[in-house]
Amino acid sequence: PPETHAAARARTRSGPAPVTDVAKLCVCDLLVAQCDVNCCCDPDCSAADFSLFTTCSVPIVTGDNRLCSQKAAIYSLDVEANPPERIFKLIDQVNPSVFCIHATNYKQALSFSSPEMPTSENFDQLLEQFGSATFSAEPDSWNMNTDAQNPSDANETYRYEYGVPVQTVDAFLRLPSPVVSSWCSDANPAGFLVNQATKCTRSVSVEKCGSIQAVSMLFYINSGILAVNITVQSVVVQSLNGMRTLLNGSDVLRLPMILDELCINIVLGVSYHITYTDAGEIIEAAASFVLGAINKEALSIQQSFEISFTQVNTKPVPLSGNPGYVVGLPIRAGFQPQGYPFPVEILFAAFNTNKYGQLTILQSTSNQDCLAAQGARTPILFGYNMISGCKLRITAAMKCQPLTQTLLDLLKGQSFPEYVASFGNSQAQDVLDWVPITHLHTSEQTMREIYNTFQSSCQIPVSLEIEVKWTKYGSLVNPQARIVNITATTTTTMLKQLPPGRERTIPITSSVVFTDVSSPAEPGYKAWPTINAKLPFDFFFPFV
Amino acid sequence: NSSYQLSSVPLQILFYVNGIYYIFYFLATLAMIVYKGEVFSYPDDFLAPDLALLFIMAILEVLRLYLGSKGNLTEEEAPLGLSLVITVGSVILSVYFLVWQTYVLKADVIINAVLLFTYGLESVLKVVAIAAFVS
């Protein structure tokens, strides 16, 4: 709801609290929820992991060593024991110098002060204080109460960046995936905005029906994503012979149980759908399940997992680049809806050619017969010139007009788009980001020839050539590909009436060509300084 | 046979030693405050009281030693009593430098402990001298 967002912004945000307990501090613990190699202080490592280490990369963790007496955590490996084990000792380290700090009455003396987080309220004051080339090391608010910072505020919305693991209450949202073999490993975290789909195998048995956690629905929706609960969107039940039925009431949690020597309600697939805002906060999470059943002979099942991210208030459209087109990704295309440009409030959600809004081209098949082609089409990928075609057998019985229509459908497809996105991430709402497709028609014969053979001048299209002109846009260091022009040229040829019984074969081709029309970058030089020296107007006064 | 002389010789010796030790104490504490200001973060709000109290302590010490020495030598109990009262103030200041300073180093602990011990010994001897003068 919008009021909590405003309240969250109004609170002064602060960084995480500093860790001061030497037993809990570990600088080599870089991987979250996984054991770091040779890191003896990592809490994620088990005794089995320690037996494989060779040295301890961090042998001692101490606080400020200017204090007279302080705690130190010493980590070492006992290589004599079999298997090697880690030794952890917490000792008091004494500083022998006579100038060691015995006590201090000044709380912020021994740690770095946490800087204030800029918010919209204090931004101006912070800019005034720190915005110039120098600033004093001791601001006025030196005695600021450190208790005012509350770092462990679980209700605050957590903003994510691309690829950061999605946090849950205890660890991370896990998407089981195969690691080395095809067996499921539960240690794959779901990254924010990283759409993944994995399939892996899990060993099950009817006897352990209720005790295997990873086949129960509860395991996947139990840990809410930090203040957002995972709701169950839909449940599909798959029977033993593979038939799937969608269940009506999807709010009942179905746990694995034994029924008639079968173990039912085991999870065969989970599909997570996460909705996020443009500020990077997760506001909704839904999971769709496929539940199945196993019988006594089954030793393993295959589970499939999927996660997809959708921005709130938008429909999901796969991008072909961000912002420039990426070579190999399909070109996005679409239509303008009826009534444009006048009814502007209609959201241009109808930008779709095929299911994914892509420009497509005829796909050559193995039998090369145009009329038996069955409409197979392949999307046009940016940067890849393509050519495809088929052979058309013309008999005397074929009529001109239906043949023309069939060939046009073959070359252009069922719904040839009108507009193509100029950037890979163009949104449907930004109409100026879309480039119209120009259509040209040429003929294989000259106009005079057509005029001369006046009777039965039937023009059938035989080739479609799409030329995409693109340019490099943006900075020299990281140029982005942008489509500036797209032309679809249809070439027609004259179909002469065949004598009965004869047949002809003509090739039909369609091709896509990408041309780089970027203008070379011109360096800009500053103008040479000129000496502006002019004599005053009346310099030669008495004489001029 | 010095029954006619009531001045306490140990007290006078202690005053002399105290004077020399205090000069060392003052210079050492001042040097350490400068050192702390360079090495640690020592903002002005905390530096000013420490320096002020050190100088006040120096003034009190001069006054105290002068009055005490004069009282002991002239065998009068009034200056000696006044010196005893000022000793209380000096003790409080020494405890400040021992416990409530911004940064208390181990060297601070040592020299303040020695100073407090000297004050204690002096106070005992002053009380004995006053008792001797009064009676």
Side-chain angles (χ1 to χ4, degrees), chain A residues 372-532:
Chain A
Q374 292 173 352
R377 301 192 72 80
T378 178
I380 295 179
L381 305 177
F382 184 80
Y384 288 168
N385 298 339
M386 296 176 173
I387 184 166
S388 63
C390 56
K391 289 200 193 341
L392 179 68
R393 272 177 51 227
I394 304 178
T395 60
M398 282 185 186
K399 299 273 188 304
C400 182
Q401 194 49 37
L403 189 62
T404 310
Q405 194 53 46
T406 311
L407 284 175
L408 267 179
D409 281 343
L410 198 65
L411 285 171
K412 289 194 170 177
Q414 285 305 320
S415 50
F416 196 69
E418 298 167 10
Y419 286 85
V420 159
S422 65
F423 282 113
N425 66 349
S426 296
Q427 299 295 320
Q429 304 89 290
D430 308 320
V431 186
L432 295 175
D433 270 350
W434 293 76
V435 175
I437 298 183
T438 319
H439 293 271
L440 292 179
H441 292 95
T442 62
S443 173
E444 270 184 8
Q445 289 88 14
T446 63
M447 283 311 292
R448 211 166 138 197
E449 284 173 353
I450 296 171
Y451 186 68
N452 281 344
T453 59
F454 184 71
Q455 71 276 19
S456 70
S457 59
C458 174
Q459 297 283 334
I460 54 165
V462 287
S463 102
L464 173 70
E465 184 183 312
I466 300 179
E467 188 182 359
V468 182
K469 293 201 174 83
W470 63 279
T471 173
K472 293 199 192 82
Y473 185 84
S475 74
L476 280 179
V477 180
N478 187 14
Q480 303 295 314
R482 177 188 189 176
I483 292 182
V484 283
N485 195 343
I486 178 164
T487 316
T489 310
T490 313
T491 309
T492 58
T493 187
M494 201 170 62
L495 179 66
K496 287 202 275 285
Q497 192 65 25
L498 286 173
R502 297 281 299 277
E503 32 176 66
R504 246 179 85 186
T505 307
I506 50 173
I508 308 287
T509 53
S510 61
S511 61
V512 181
V513 168
F514 285 87
T515 321
D516 181 358
V517 295
S518 14
S519 48
E522 287 171 4
Y525 294 114
K526 238 171 94 162
W528 277 103
T530 55
I531 302 175
N532 196 5

Side-chain angles (χ1 to χ4, degrees), chain A residues 64 66 68 94-110 138 140 142-143, chain B residues 32 35 39-46 96 98-110:
Chain A
D64 190 350
R66 291 181 300 201
C68 286
V94 173
N95 185 350
S97 158
V98 86
F99 296 115
C100 64
I101 300 178
H102 186 258
T104 159
N105 289 308
Y106 167 43
K107 263 176 64 173
Q108 291 102 321
L110 302 172
E138 292 153 8
D140 307 322
W142 200 264
N143 293 325
Chain B
M32 278 200 286
Y35 165 75
V39 172
F40 307 131
S41 72
Y42 210 157
D44 294 338
D45 293 350
F46 291 84
Y96 171 85
L98 178 67
V99 172
W100 299 316
Q101 228 189 134
T102 307
Y103 291 95
V104 181
L105 306 182
K106 202 191 278 186
D108 276 319
V109 172
I110 295 170

Side-chain angles (χ1 to χ4, degrees), chain A residues 117-129:
Chain A
M117 283 281 187
T119 63
S120 47
E121 283 80 38
N122 64 2
F123 188 80
D124 292 323
Q125 179 247 324
L126 285 178
L127 185 64
E128 192 189 303
Q129 200 171 13

Side-chain angles (χ1 to χ4, degrees), chain A residues 108 113-116 139-149:
Chain A
Q108 291 102 321
S113 60
S114 304
E116 238 180 289
D140 307 322
S141 60
W142 200 264
N143 293 325
M144 136 177 92
N145 191 7
T146 48
D147 297 333
Q149 298 165 350

Side-chain angles (χ1 to χ4, degrees), chain A residues 61-320:
Chain A
V61 181
T62 63
D64 190 350
N65 58 359
R66 291 181 300 201
L67 294 174
C68 286
S69 155
Q70 46 164 336
K71 283 210 171 307
I74 301 193
Y75 300 93
S76 60
L77 279 179
D78 181 13
V79 290
E80 305 293 321
N82 187 14
E85 51 185 35
R86 172 199 78 159
I87 302 175
F88 167 63
K89 279 197 294 236
L90 201 62
I91 60 167
D92 280 318
Q93 207 181 39
V94 173
N95 185 350
S97 158
V98 86
F99 296 115
C100 64
I101 300 178
H102 186 258
T104 159
N105 289 308
Y106 167 43
K107 263 176 64 173
Q108 291 102 321
L110 302 172
S111 59
F112 293 112
S113 60
S114 304
E116 238 180 289
M117 283 281 187
T119 63
S120 47
E121 283 80 38
N122 64 2
F123 188 80
D124 292 323
Q125 179 247 324
L126 285 178
L127 185 64
E128 192 189 303
Q129 200 171 13
F130 298 110
S132 58
T134 61
F135 50 85
S136 159
E138 292 153 8
D140 307 322
S141 60
W142 200 264
N143 293 325
M144 136 177 92
N145 191 7
T146 48
D147 297 333
Q149 298 165 350
N150 49 347
S152 60
D153 194 344
N155 283 339
E156 260 188 21
T157 49
Y158 185 83
R159 282 153 203 233
Y160 290 92
E161 292 175 4
Y162 177 84
V164 168
V166 175
Q167 299 246 2
T168 63
V169 178
D170 46 357
F172 294 99
L173 188 65
R174 292 174 197 275
L175 217 64
S177 66
V179 183
V180 177
S181 60
S182 65
W183 294 104
C184 287
S185 149
D186 288 329
N188 178 34
F192 186 66
L193 290 189
V194 178
N195 294 330
Q196 292 183 47
T198 59
K199 278 194 187 14
C200 59
T201 321
R202 210 177 279 276
S203 73
V204 290
S205 68
V206 177
E207 292 86 31
K208 290 190 281 180
C209 187
S211 60
I212 305 178
Q213 270 202 326
V215 296
S216 141
M217 260 176 88
L218 202 60
F219 180 66
Y220 296 101
I221 61 175
N222 202 8
S223 49
I225 301 178
L226 267 199
V228 172
N229 281 331
I230 305 184
T231 56
V232 177
Q233 200 174 32
S234 68
V235 176
V236 167
V237 172
Q238 180 170 319
S239 67
L240 272 179
N241 56 4
M243 198 169 72
R244 291 186 174 190
T245 29
L246 181 64
L247 290 186
N248 275 338
S250 60
D251 44 355
V252 170
L253 203 63
R254 288 161 186 273
L255 295 176
M257 55 188 200
I258 300 190
L259 190 70
D260 294 336
E261 294 185 354
L262 295 176
C263 181
I264 63 169
N265 291 340
I266 58 168
V267 172
L268 293 180
V270 185
S271 178
Y272 289 105
H273 301 279
I274 314 267
T275 311
Y276 65 96
T277 64
D278 51 3
E281 300 157 341
I282 291 184
I283 54 173
E284 239 185 274
S288 307
F289 288 93
V290 175
L291 300 180
I294 53 167
N295 54 14
K296 275 202 305 228
E297 287 89 30
L299 290 174
S300 66
I301 51 164
Q302 192 178 56
Q303 293 184 312
S304 61
F305 299 93
E306 195 181 56
I307 187 165
S308 65
F309 290 87
T310 319
Q311 195 169 351
V312 66
N313 289 337
T314 63
K315 276 172 72 155
V317 168
L319 298 181
S320 297

